Amino acid sequence: MAVEQADHDRAERLAQEAIRLLGPLHDTWILLNALTHLWAADALRSRSRRAARLYGAISGLREQTGSAAIPVYQAVNDRCQHVVTETLGATDAQALFAQGRRMTLDAIVALACEQTDQ
């Protein structure tokens, strides 16, 4: 909701809090939801490098768990993918996406909880 209201700072703060609390529980369904909000906030704030890795991590987790993306977020996801690809270029975006897909759950949680200006 905070992402849709363009309150990206709040979206990041809430998503990171959820990830910090739930990461140790390895509850991937809820983590996927929080990671999706964080990746969107990063993408829309031009934090494209972390956004690309997070999107790859989300994709890898969905594949591992058989989880589907929530359809209501499709328009936001499409917009974010476009922003990241335009910002980084297709080659760099795909390389970072692939890097994210290979991350372990603990590495994903650590990446998501990093404070970043990029």
Side-chain angles (χ1 to χ4, degrees):
M1 187 69 147
V3 169
E4 293 169 355
Q5 295 173 347
D7 190 350
H8 304 132
D9 289 336
R10 182 170 177 253
E12 178 182 35
R13 195 171 51 255
L14 292 172
Q16 284 182 322
E17 181 179 344
I19 293 163
R20 267 192 295 279
L21 293 171
L22 298 168
L25 301 177
H26 291 235
D27 185 336
T28 53
W29 190 85
I30 296 202
L31 280 171
L32 280 167
N33 190 29
L35 288 164
T36 298
H37 286 278
L38 181 59
W39 112 263
D42 275 358
L44 297 173
R45 289 196 310 184
S46 297
R47 293 180 173 173
S48 300
R49 296 184 66 75
R50 182 169 77 171
R53 284 191 300 270
L54 285 173
Y55 188 70
I58 291 164
S59 178
L61 283 175
R62 287 196 189 292
E63 186 176 297
Q64 291 170 20
T65 62
S67 298
I70 299 172
V72 73
Y73 296 128
Q74 191 60 51
V76 173
N77 279 336
D78 291 346
R79 187 168 126 220
C80 293
Q81 282 181 295
H82 177 75
V83 167
V84 168
T85 301
E86 287 295 312
T87 302
L88 296 174
T91 302
D92 287 346
Q94 284 299 321
L96 291 165
F97 174 82
Q99 184 183 71
R101 284 184 63 85
R102 293 188 302 269
M103 294 175 80
T104 66
L105 187 56
D106 290 334
I108 295 166
V109 169
L111 173 65
C113 291
E114 285 179 1
Q115 295 301 320
T116 182
D117 291 328
Q118 192 303 62

